[in-house]
Amino acid sequence: LAQTTALPNGTVADVLNSCFQELRDTISAYEEAAANQDPAADDLLGRIDALGGWDWEHRMERAASMLSLTPLLNEPTSRLSGGEAKRVALAHLVLTDADIILLDEPTNHLDAATVEWLERWISESSKTFIVITHDRYFLDHAVSQISELREGKLFSYPGGFTDYLVARAEEEELKRRTTQRTYNILRVQLEWASRSPSARRTKAKAKLKDIEERTQKYKKLTEAQAETKIAFADVERLGKTILELHGVGKSFEEGKPLI
């Protein structure tokens, strides 16, 4: 499911029926073979069963009903709103019956009822869903694992978005304590190295090596915790009028002007 919905030309029914194109072609071939008493009819019959059987129209109607598309089946896709087009794309996804489903910002343009349906579908389905979204409420209700790409690595956390936030907070606290502990040990070792004449002798090389390793570890820990801040300079406003428009209007075909 792409973030931006682009449907082919035709009616909503055409889009949904396209999911069964191979099945419909096979049924037509079977009917022709059966009428001609062609032995290939038996193989085609088995192929029909493998593709889902004869009730494809009922499956299409059921998907349309689930997503409140029944009144729109004969509507051209070019006349659909953003939310309607998104529901058609979701119904198409349901009928495709894939094992792995990728959703990019799936709640964009959807009303509350459709979002609730989508949450139930994901939660109750045995399929694998990979969702990219900024909708934190949706993540809390629909997913069972959160993955985050950070510092060049992929980190995964069980649960929804709230569970992820708790886990990340615990991680940061552990990292903070580790950094402080590393700093305390390193400070004692550096004090020893600076005041002890034996620090330059051979038997102290192992300890000096340990100091170097702890120094590198401390640098990495502090670099990972560094914050990126962007400062914007104050800009003086150059005038009160930003844009002037004259004689501008907006209307749709066969409709009254809106503006």
Coordinates of all heavy atoms in Angstrom, one line a residue, residues 21-108:
Q21 N -8.1 -11.6 -12.2 CA -8.0 -11.7 -13.7 C -7.5 -13.1 -14.1 O -8.1 -13.6 -15.0 CB -6.9 -10.6 -14.2 CG -7.0 -10.5 -15.7 CD -8.3 -10.1 -16.2 OE1 -8.9 -9.1 -15.8 NE2 -8.9 -10.8 -17.1
E22 N -6.5 -13.6 -13.4 CA -6.1 -15.0 -13.8 C -7.2 -16.0 -13.6 O -7.4 -16.9 -14.4 CB -4.8 -15.4 -13.0 CG -4.3 -16.7 -13.4 CD -3.0 -17.1 -12.6 OE1 -2.6 -16.3 -11.8 OE2 -2.5 -18.2 -12.9
L23 N -7.9 -15.9 -12.5 CA -9.0 -16.8 -12.2 C -10.1 -16.7 -13.2 O -10.6 -17.7 -13.7 CB -9.5 -16.5 -10.8 CG -10.8 -17.3 -10.4 CD1 -10.5 -18.8 -10.4 CD2 -11.2 -16.9 -9.0
R24 N -10.5 -15.5 -13.6 CA -11.5 -15.3 -14.5 C -11.1 -15.8 -15.9 O -12.0 -16.4 -16.6 CB -11.9 -13.8 -14.6 CG -12.5 -13.2 -13.4 CD -12.4 -11.7 -13.3 NE -13.2 -11.1 -14.4 CZ -13.1 -9.8 -14.7 NH1 -12.2 -9.0 -14.0 NH2 -13.8 -9.3 -15.6
D25 N -9.9 -15.6 -16.3 CA -9.4 -16.1 -17.6 C -9.4 -17.6 -17.6 O -9.8 -18.3 -18.6 CB -8.0 -15.6 -17.9 CG -7.9 -14.1 -18.1 OD1 -9.0 -13.5 -18.4 OD2 -6.8 -13.6 -18.1
T26 N -9.1 -18.2 -16.4 CA -9.1 -19.7 -16.3 C -10.5 -20.2 -16.4 O -10.7 -21.3 -17.0 CB -8.4 -20.1 -15.0 OG1 -7.1 -19.5 -14.9 CG2 -8.2 -21.6 -15.0
I27 N -11.4 -19.6 -15.8 CA -12.8 -20.0 -15.8 C -13.3 -19.9 -17.2 O -14.0 -20.9 -17.7 CB -13.7 -19.1 -14.9 CG1 -13.4 -19.4 -13.4 CG2 -15.2 -19.4 -15.1 CD1 -14.1 -18.5 -12.4
S28 N -13.0 -18.9 -18.0 CA -13.4 -18.7 -19.4 C -12.8 -19.9 -20.2 O -13.5 -20.5 -21.1 CB -13.0 -17.4 -19.9 OG -13.7 -16.3 -19.2
A29 N -11.6 -20.2 -20.0 CA -10.9 -21.2 -20.7 C -11.5 -22.6 -20.4 O -11.7 -23.4 -21.3 CB -9.4 -21.2 -20.4
Y30 N -11.9 -22.8 -19.1 CA -12.5 -24.1 -18.7 C -13.9 -24.2 -19.4 O -14.2 -25.3 -19.9 CB -12.7 -24.1 -17.2 CG -13.6 -25.2 -16.8 CD1 -13.2 -26.5 -16.8 CD2 -14.9 -24.9 -16.4 CE1 -14.1 -27.6 -16.4 CE2 -15.8 -25.9 -16.1 CZ -15.4 -27.2 -16.0 OH -16.2 -28.3 -15.7
E31 N -14.7 -23.1 -19.4 CA -16.0 -23.2 -20.0 C -15.9 -23.5 -21.5 O -16.7 -24.3 -22.0 CB -16.8 -21.9 -19.7 CG -17.1 -21.7 -18.3 CD -17.7 -20.3 -18.0 OE1 -17.5 -19.4 -18.8 OE2 -18.3 -20.1 -16.9
E32 N -14.9 -22.9 -22.1 CA -14.8 -23.2 -23.6 C -14.3 -24.6 -23.8 O -14.8 -25.3 -24.7 CB -13.7 -22.2 -24.1 CG -13.5 -22.4 -25.7 CD -12.6 -21.4 -26.2 OE1 -12.2 -20.4 -25.5 OE2 -12.2 -21.6 -27.4
A33 N -13.4 -25.1 -22.9 CA -12.9 -26.5 -23.1 C -13.9 -27.5 -22.8 O -14.1 -28.5 -23.5 CB -11.7 -26.7 -22.1
A34 N -14.8 -27.2 -21.8 CA -15.8 -28.1 -21.4 C -16.9 -28.2 -22.5 O -17.4 -29.3 -22.8 CB -16.5 -27.7 -20.1
A35 N -17.2 -27.0 -23.1 CA -18.2 -27.0 -24.2 C -17.7 -27.8 -25.4 O -18.5 -28.4 -26.1 CB -18.5 -25.6 -24.6
N36 N -16.4 -27.8 -25.6 CA -15.8 -28.6 -26.7 C -15.3 -30.0 -26.4 O -14.7 -30.6 -27.2 CB -14.6 -27.8 -27.3 CG -15.0 -26.4 -27.9 OD1 -16.1 -26.3 -28.4 ND2 -14.1 -25.4 -27.7
Q37 N -15.6 -30.4 -25.1 CA -15.2 -31.7 -24.6 C -13.7 -31.9 -24.7 O -13.2 -33.0 -25.1 CB -16.0 -32.8 -25.3 CG -17.5 -32.7 -25.1 CD -18.2 -33.9 -25.8 OE1 -17.7 -34.6 -26.6 NE2 -19.5 -34.1 -25.4
D38 N -13.0 -30.8 -24.5 CA -11.5 -30.8 -24.5 C -11.0 -31.5 -23.2 O -11.4 -31.1 -22.1 CB -11.0 -29.4 -24.6 CG -9.5 -29.3 -24.9 OD1 -8.8 -30.3 -24.5 OD2 -9.1 -28.3 -25.4
P39 N -10.1 -32.5 -23.3 CA -9.5 -33.1 -22.1 C -8.8 -32.2 -21.2 O -8.6 -32.5 -20.0 CB -8.5 -34.2 -22.7 CG -9.0 -34.4 -24.1 CD -9.6 -33.1 -24.6
A40 N -8.4 -31.0 -21.7 CA -7.7 -30.0 -20.9 C -8.6 -29.4 -19.8 O -8.2 -28.8 -18.9 CB -7.1 -28.9 -21.7
A41 N -9.9 -29.7 -19.9 CA -10.9 -29.1 -19.0 C -10.6 -29.6 -17.6 O -10.8 -28.8 -16.6 CB -12.3 -29.5 -19.4
D42 N -10.2 -30.8 -17.4 CA -9.9 -31.4 -16.0 C -8.8 -30.6 -15.4 O -8.8 -30.2 -14.2 CB -9.6 -32.8 -16.1 CG -10.8 -33.7 -16.5 OD1 -11.9 -33.2 -16.3 OD2 -10.6 -34.8 -17.0
D43 N -7.7 -30.3 -16.1 CA -6.6 -29.6 -15.6 C -7.0 -28.1 -15.2 O -6.6 -27.6 -14.2 CB -5.4 -29.5 -16.6 CG -4.8 -30.9 -16.7 OD1 -4.9 -31.7 -15.8 OD2 -4.2 -31.2 -17.8
L44 N -7.8 -27.6 -16.1 CA -8.3 -26.2 -15.8 C -9.2 -26.1 -14.6 O -9.1 -25.2 -13.8 CB -9.0 -25.7 -17.1 CG -8.2 -25.4 -18.3 CD1 -9.1 -25.1 -19.5 CD2 -7.3 -24.2 -18.0
L45 N -9.9 -27.2 -14.4 CA -10.8 -27.2 -13.2 C -10.0 -27.3 -11.9 O -10.3 -26.6 -10.9 CB -11.7 -28.5 -13.3 CG -12.9 -28.6 -12.3 CD1 -13.8 -27.4 -12.4 CD2 -13.6 -29.9 -12.4
G46 N -8.9 -28.0 -12.0 CA -8.0 -28.0 -10.8 C -7.3 -26.7 -10.6 O -7.1 -26.3 -9.4
R47 N -7.0 -26.0 -11.7 CA -6.4 -24.7 -11.6 C -7.4 -23.7 -11.0 O -7.0 -22.8 -10.2 CB -6.0 -24.2 -13.0 CG -5.2 -22.9 -13.0 CD -4.0 -22.9 -12.2 NE -3.3 -21.6 -12.2 CZ -2.4 -21.2 -11.3 NH1 -2.1 -22.1 -10.3 NH2 -1.8 -20.1 -11.4
I48 N -8.6 -23.8 -11.3 CA -9.7 -22.9 -10.7 C -9.7 -23.1 -9.2 O -9.8 -22.1 -8.5 CB -11.0 -23.2 -11.4 CG1 -11.0 -22.7 -12.9 CG2 -12.1 -22.5 -10.6 CD1 -12.2 -23.1 -13.6
D49 N -9.7 -24.3 -8.8 CA -9.7 -24.6 -7.3 C -8.5 -24.0 -6.7 O -8.6 -23.4 -5.6 CB -9.8 -26.1 -7.1 CG -11.2 -26.6 -7.4 OD1 -12.2 -25.9 -7.5 OD2 -11.2 -27.8 -7.7
A50 N -7.3 -24.1 -7.3 CA -6.1 -23.6 -6.7 C -6.1 -22.1 -6.6 O -5.5 -21.5 -5.7 CB -4.9 -24.1 -7.6
L51 N -6.8 -21.4 -7.5 CA -6.8 -20.0 -7.6 C -8.0 -19.4 -6.7 O -8.1 -18.2 -6.6 CB -7.1 -19.5 -9.0 CG -5.9 -19.7 -9.9 CD1 -6.3 -19.3 -11.4 CD2 -4.7 -18.8 -9.5
G52 N -8.7 -20.3 -6.0 CA -9.7 -19.8 -5.0 C -11.1 -20.1 -5.3 O -12.0 -19.8 -4.5
G53 N -11.4 -20.8 -6.4 CA -12.7 -21.3 -6.6 C -13.6 -20.3 -7.5 O -13.1 -19.3 -8.0
W54 N -14.9 -20.6 -7.4 CA -15.8 -19.9 -8.3 C -16.4 -18.7 -7.7 O -17.1 -17.9 -8.4 CB -16.9 -20.9 -8.7 CG -16.4 -22.1 -9.4 CD1 -15.9 -23.2 -8.9 CD2 -16.4 -22.4 -10.8 NE1 -15.5 -24.2 -9.8 CE2 -15.8 -23.6 -11.0 CE3 -16.8 -21.6 -11.9 CZ2 -15.7 -24.2 -12.3 CZ3 -16.6 -22.1 -13.2 CH2 -16.1 -23.4 -13.4
D55 N -16.3 -18.5 -6.4 CA -17.1 -17.4 -5.8 C -16.3 -16.1 -5.7 O -16.4 -15.3 -4.8 CB -17.5 -17.9 -4.4 CG -16.2 -18.0 -3.5 OD1 -15.1 -18.2 -4.0 OD2 -16.4 -17.9 -2.2
W56 N -15.6 -15.8 -6.8 CA -14.8 -14.6 -6.7 C -15.6 -13.3 -6.6 O -15.2 -12.3 -6.0 CB -13.8 -14.5 -8.0 CG -14.5 -14.4 -9.3 CD1 -14.9 -15.5 -10.1 CD2 -14.9 -13.3 -10.0 NE1 -15.5 -15.0 -11.2 CE2 -15.6 -13.7 -11.2 CE3 -14.8 -11.9 -9.7 CZ2 -16.1 -12.7 -12.1 CZ3 -15.4 -11.0 -10.6 CH2 -16.0 -11.4 -11.8
E57 N -16.8 -13.3 -7.2 CA -17.7 -12.2 -7.2 C -18.1 -11.9 -5.8 O -18.2 -10.8 -5.3 CB -18.9 -12.4 -8.1 CG -18.5 -12.3 -9.6 CD -19.8 -12.5 -10.4 OE1 -20.2 -13.6 -10.6 OE2 -20.2 -11.4 -11.0
H58 N -18.5 -13.0 -5.0 CA -18.9 -12.8 -3.6 C -17.7 -12.3 -2.8 O -17.9 -11.5 -1.9 CB -19.4 -14.1 -3.1 CG -20.6 -14.6 -3.7 ND1 -20.7 -15.6 -4.7 CD2 -21.9 -14.2 -3.5 CE1 -21.9 -15.8 -5.0 NE2 -22.7 -15.0 -4.3
R59 N -16.5 -12.8 -3.1 CA -15.3 -12.3 -2.3 C -15.1 -10.8 -2.6 O -14.8 -10.0 -1.7 CB -14.1 -13.1 -2.7 CG -14.1 -14.5 -2.1 CD -13.3 -15.5 -2.9 NE -11.9 -15.1 -3.0 CZ -11.1 -15.7 -3.9 NH1 -11.5 -16.7 -4.7 NH2 -9.8 -15.3 -3.9
M60 N -15.3 -10.4 -3.8 CA -15.1 -9.0 -4.2 C -16.2 -8.1 -3.5 O -15.9 -7.1 -2.9 CB -15.2 -8.8 -5.7 CG -15.0 -7.3 -6.2 SD -16.4 -6.3 -6.1 CE -17.3 -6.9 -7.6
E61 N -17.4 -8.6 -3.5 CA -18.5 -7.9 -2.8 C -18.3 -7.8 -1.3 O -18.6 -6.8 -0.7 CB -19.8 -8.5 -3.1 CG -20.3 -8.4 -4.6 CD -21.4 -9.3 -5.0 OE1 -21.9 -10.1 -4.1 OE2 -21.9 -9.2 -6.2
R62 N -17.7 -8.9 -0.7 CA -17.5 -8.9 0.7 C -16.4 -7.9 1.1 O -16.5 -7.1 2.1 CB -17.1 -10.3 1.2 CG -17.0 -10.4 2.7 CD -17.0 -11.9 3.1 NE -15.9 -12.7 2.5 CZ -16.1 -13.6 1.6 NH1 -17.3 -13.9 1.2 NH2 -15.1 -14.3 1.1
A63 N -15.4 -7.8 0.3 CA -14.3 -6.8 0.5 C -14.8 -5.4 0.4 O -14.5 -4.5 1.2 CB -13.1 -7.1 -0.4
A64 N -15.6 -5.2 -0.6 CA -16.2 -3.8 -0.8 C -17.1 -3.4 0.3 O -17.1 -2.3 0.8 CB -17.0 -3.8 -2.1
S65 N -17.9 -4.4 0.8 CA -18.7 -4.1 2.0 C -17.9 -3.8 3.2 O -18.3 -2.9 4.0 CB -19.6 -5.4 2.2 OG -20.4 -5.2 3.4
M66 N -16.8 -4.6 3.5 CA -16.0 -4.3 4.7 C -15.5 -2.9 4.7 O -15.3 -2.3 5.8 CB -14.8 -5.3 4.7 CG -15.2 -6.7 5.1 SD -13.7 -7.7 5.5 CE -12.8 -7.7 3.9
L67 N -15.2 -2.3 3.5 CA -14.6 -1.0 3.5 C -15.6 0.0 3.0 O -15.2 1.1 2.5 CB -13.4 -1.1 2.6 CG -12.2 -1.7 3.3 CD1 -11.3 -2.5 2.4 CD2 -11.4 -0.7 4.1
S68 N -16.9 -0.3 3.1 CA -18.0 0.7 2.7 C -17.9 1.2 1.3 O -18.1 2.4 1.1 CB -18.0 1.9 3.7 OG -18.1 1.4 5.1
L69 N -17.5 0.3 0.4 CA -17.4 0.7 -1.0 C -18.5 0.3 -1.9 O -18.5 0.6 -3.1 CB -16.1 0.1 -1.6 CG -14.8 0.6 -1.0 CD1 -13.6 -0.2 -1.5 CD2 -14.6 2.1 -1.3
T70 N -19.5 -0.5 -1.3 CA -20.6 -1.0 -2.2 C -21.3 0.1 -3.0 O -21.6 -0.1 -4.2 CB -21.6 -1.7 -1.3 OG1 -20.9 -2.8 -0.6 CG2 -22.7 -2.4 -2.1
P71 N -21.6 1.3 -2.4 CA -22.3 2.3 -3.2 C -21.4 2.9 -4.3 O -21.9 3.6 -5.2 CB -22.7 3.4 -2.2 CG -22.6 2.7 -0.8 CD -21.5 1.7 -1.0
L72 N -20.1 2.6 -4.2 CA -19.2 3.3 -5.1 C -18.7 2.3 -6.2 O -17.8 2.7 -7.0 CB -18.0 3.8 -4.4 CG -18.2 4.9 -3.3 CD1 -16.9 5.2 -2.5 CD2 -18.8 6.1 -3.9
L73 N -19.2 1.1 -6.3 CA -18.6 0.1 -7.2 C -18.7 0.5 -8.7 O -17.8 0.2 -9.4 CB -19.4 -1.2 -7.1 CG -19.0 -2.0 -5.8 CD1 -19.9 -3.3 -5.7 CD2 -17.6 -2.4 -5.8
N74 N -19.7 1.3 -9.1 CA -19.8 1.8 -10.5 C -19.2 3.2 -10.7 O -19.3 3.7 -11.7 CB -21.2 1.7 -10.9 CG -21.8 0.3 -11.0 OD1 -21.1 -0.6 -11.4 ND2 -23.0 0.1 -10.5
E75 N -18.6 3.7 -9.6 CA -18.0 5.1 -9.7 C -16.7 5.0 -10.4 O -15.8 4.2 -10.1 CB -17.9 5.6 -8.3 CG -17.6 7.1 -8.2 CD -18.8 8.0 -8.5 OE1 -19.9 7.4 -8.5 OE2 -18.6 9.2 -8.7
P76 N -16.4 6.0 -11.3 CA -15.0 6.0 -11.9 C -14.0 6.4 -10.9 O -14.3 7.2 -10.0 CB -15.2 7.2 -13.0 CG -16.7 7.3 -13.2 CD -17.3 6.9 -11.9
T77 N -12.9 5.8 -10.9 CA -11.8 6.1 -9.9 C -11.3 7.5 -10.0 O -10.9 8.1 -9.0 CB -10.6 5.2 -10.2 OG1 -10.1 5.3 -11.5 CG2 -11.0 3.7 -10.0
S78 N -11.5 8.2 -11.1 CA -11.1 9.6 -11.3 C -11.9 10.5 -10.4 O -11.5 11.7 -10.2 CB -11.1 10.0 -12.7 OG -12.4 9.9 -13.3
R79 N -13.1 10.1 -10.0 CA -14.0 11.0 -9.2 C -13.9 10.7 -7.7 O -14.7 11.3 -7.0 CB -15.4 10.8 -9.7 CG -15.6 11.2 -11.2 CD -17.1 10.9 -11.6 NE -18.0 11.7 -10.9 CZ -18.5 12.9 -11.3 NH1 -18.1 13.4 -12.4 NH2 -19.4 13.5 -10.6
L80 N -13.1 9.8 -7.3 CA -13.0 9.4 -5.9 C -12.2 10.5 -5.1 O -11.3 11.1 -5.6 CB -12.3 8.1 -5.7 CG -13.0 6.9 -6.4 CD1 -12.2 5.6 -6.1 CD2 -14.4 6.7 -5.9
S81 N -12.6 10.6 -3.8 CA -11.8 11.5 -2.9 C -10.6 10.7 -2.5 O -10.4 9.5 -2.7 CB -12.7 11.9 -1.7 OG -12.9 10.7 -0.9
G82 N -9.7 11.4 -1.8 CA -8.5 10.7 -1.3 C -8.8 9.6 -0.3 O -8.2 8.5 -0.4
G83 N -9.8 9.8 0.6 CA -10.1 8.7 1.5 C -10.8 7.5 0.8 O -10.5 6.4 1.1
E84 N -11.6 7.8 -0.2 CA -12.3 6.7 -1.0 C -11.3 5.9 -1.8 O -11.3 4.7 -1.8 CB -13.3 7.3 -1.9 CG -14.6 7.9 -1.2 CD -15.4 8.7 -2.1 OE1 -15.0 9.2 -3.2 OE2 -16.6 9.0 -1.7
A85 N -10.3 6.6 -2.4 CA -9.3 5.9 -3.2 C -8.4 5.0 -2.2 O -8.1 3.9 -2.6 CB -8.4 7.0 -3.9
K86 N -8.2 5.5 -1.0 CA -7.4 4.7 -0.1 C -8.1 3.5 0.3 O -7.5 2.4 0.5 CB -7.0 5.6 1.1 CG -5.9 5.1 2.0 CD -4.6 5.1 1.3 CE -3.4 4.9 2.2 NZ -2.9 6.1 2.8
R87 N -9.4 3.6 0.5 CA -10.2 2.4 0.9 C -10.3 1.4 -0.3 O -10.2 0.2 -0.1 CB -11.7 2.8 1.2 CG -11.7 3.7 2.5 CD -13.0 3.6 3.2 NE -14.2 3.7 2.4 CZ -14.8 4.8 2.1 NH1 -14.4 6.0 2.5 NH2 -15.9 4.8 1.4
V88 N -10.3 1.9 -1.5 CA -10.3 1.0 -2.7 C -8.9 0.2 -2.7 O -8.9 -1.0 -2.9 CB -10.5 1.8 -4.0 CG1 -10.2 0.9 -5.2 CG2 -11.9 2.4 -4.1
A89 N -7.8 1.0 -2.5 CA -6.5 0.3 -2.4 C -6.4 -0.7 -1.3 O -5.8 -1.8 -1.5 CB -5.4 1.4 -2.2
L90 N -7.0 -0.5 -0.2 CA -7.1 -1.4 0.9 C -7.9 -2.7 0.6 O -7.5 -3.8 0.8 CB -7.6 -0.8 2.2 CG -6.6 0.1 3.0 CD1 -7.4 0.9 4.0 CD2 -5.5 -0.7 3.6
A91 N -9.0 -2.5 -0.1 CA -9.8 -3.6 -0.5 C -9.1 -4.4 -1.5 O -9.1 -5.7 -1.5 CB -11.2 -3.1 -1.1
H92 N -8.4 -3.8 -2.4 CA -7.6 -4.5 -3.4 C -6.5 -5.3 -2.7 O -6.2 -6.5 -3.1 CB -6.9 -3.5 -4.4 CG -6.2 -4.1 -5.5 ND1 -4.9 -4.5 -5.4 CD2 -6.5 -4.3 -6.8 CE1 -4.5 -5.0 -6.5 NE2 -5.5 -4.9 -7.4
L93 N -5.9 -4.8 -1.6 CA -4.9 -5.5 -0.9 C -5.5 -6.7 -0.2 O -4.9 -7.8 -0.1 CB -4.3 -4.5 0.2 CG -2.9 -4.8 0.6 CD1 -1.9 -4.7 -0.5 CD2 -2.5 -3.7 1.7
V94 N -6.7 -6.6 0.4 CA -7.4 -7.7 1.0 C -7.6 -8.8 0.0 O -7.4 -10.0 0.3 CB -8.7 -7.3 1.6 CG1 -9.5 -8.5 2.0 CG2 -8.5 -6.3 2.8
L95 N -8.0 -8.5 -1.2 CA -8.3 -9.5 -2.2 C -7.1 -10.1 -2.8 O -7.1 -11.2 -3.3 CB -9.2 -8.9 -3.3 CG -10.6 -8.4 -2.9 CD1 -11.2 -7.6 -4.0 CD2 -11.4 -9.6 -2.5
T96 N -6.0 -9.4 -2.8 CA -4.7 -10.0 -3.3 C -4.3 -11.2 -2.5 O -3.6 -12.1 -3.0 CB -3.6 -8.9 -3.3 OG1 -4.1 -7.8 -4.1 CG2 -2.3 -9.4 -3.9
D97 N -4.6 -11.1 -1.2 CA -4.3 -12.3 -0.3 C -2.8 -12.6 -0.3 O -2.5 -13.8 -0.4 CB -5.1 -13.5 -0.8 CG -5.2 -14.5 0.4 OD1 -5.2 -14.2 1.5 OD2 -5.4 -15.7 0.0
A98 N -2.0 -11.6 -0.1 CA -0.6 -11.9 0.0 C -0.2 -12.3 1.4 O -0.9 -12.1 2.4 CB 0.2 -10.6 -0.3
D99 N 1.0 -13.0 1.5 CA 1.5 -13.4 2.8 C 2.2 -12.3 3.6 O 2.1 -12.3 4.8 CB 2.4 -14.6 2.7 CG 1.7 -15.8 2.1 OD1 0.6 -16.1 2.5 OD2 2.3 -16.5 1.2
I100 N 2.8 -11.4 2.9 CA 3.5 -10.3 3.5 C 3.0 -9.0 2.9 O 2.9 -8.9 1.7 CB 5.1 -10.4 3.3 CG1 5.6 -11.7 3.9 CG2 5.8 -9.2 3.9 CD1 7.1 -11.9 3.6
I101 N 2.5 -8.1 3.8 CA 1.9 -6.9 3.3 C 2.7 -5.7 3.9 O 2.9 -5.6 5.1 CB 0.4 -6.8 3.8 CG1 -0.3 -8.0 3.2 CG2 -0.2 -5.5 3.5 CD1 -1.8 -8.2 3.7
L102 N 3.1 -4.8 2.9 CA 3.8 -3.6 3.3 C 2.9 -2.4 3.2 O 2.2 -2.2 2.2 CB 5.0 -3.4 2.3 CG 5.8 -4.6 2.0 CD1 6.9 -4.2 1.0 CD2 6.5 -5.2 3.3
L103 N 2.8 -1.6 4.3 CA 1.9 -0.5 4.4 C 2.7 0.8 4.7 O 3.4 0.9 5.7 CB 0.9 -0.7 5.5 CG 0.1 -2.0 5.5 CD1 -0.7 -2.1 6.8 CD2 -0.9 -2.0 4.3
D104 N 2.6 1.8 3.8 CA 3.4 3.0 4.0 C 2.4 4.1 4.3 O 1.5 4.5 3.5 CB 4.1 3.4 2.7 CG 5.0 4.6 2.8 OD1 5.1 5.1 3.9 OD2 5.7 5.0 1.8
E105 N 2.4 4.6 5.6 CA 1.5 5.6 6.1 C 0.0 5.2 5.8 O -0.7 6.0 5.1 CB 1.8 7.0 5.5 CG 3.2 7.5 5.9 CD 3.3 7.8 7.4 OE1 2.3 7.7 8.1 OE2 4.4 8.2 7.8
P106 N -0.4 4.0 6.2 CA -1.7 3.6 5.8 C -2.9 4.4 6.3 O -4.0 4.3 5.8 CB -1.8 2.1 6.4 CG -0.9 2.2 7.6 CD 0.2 3.1 7.2
T107 N -2.8 5.1 7.4 CA -3.9 5.9 8.0 C -4.1 7.2 7.3 O -5.1 7.9 7.7 CB -3.7 6.0 9.5 OG1 -2.5 6.8 9.8 CG2 -3.7 4.7 10.2
N108 N -3.2 7.6 6.5 CA -3.4 8.9 5.8 C -4.8 8.9 5.0 O -5.1 8.0 4.3 CB -2.3 9.2 4.8 CG -1.0 9.6 5.4 OD1 -1.0 9.7 6.7 ND2 0.0 10.0 4.7

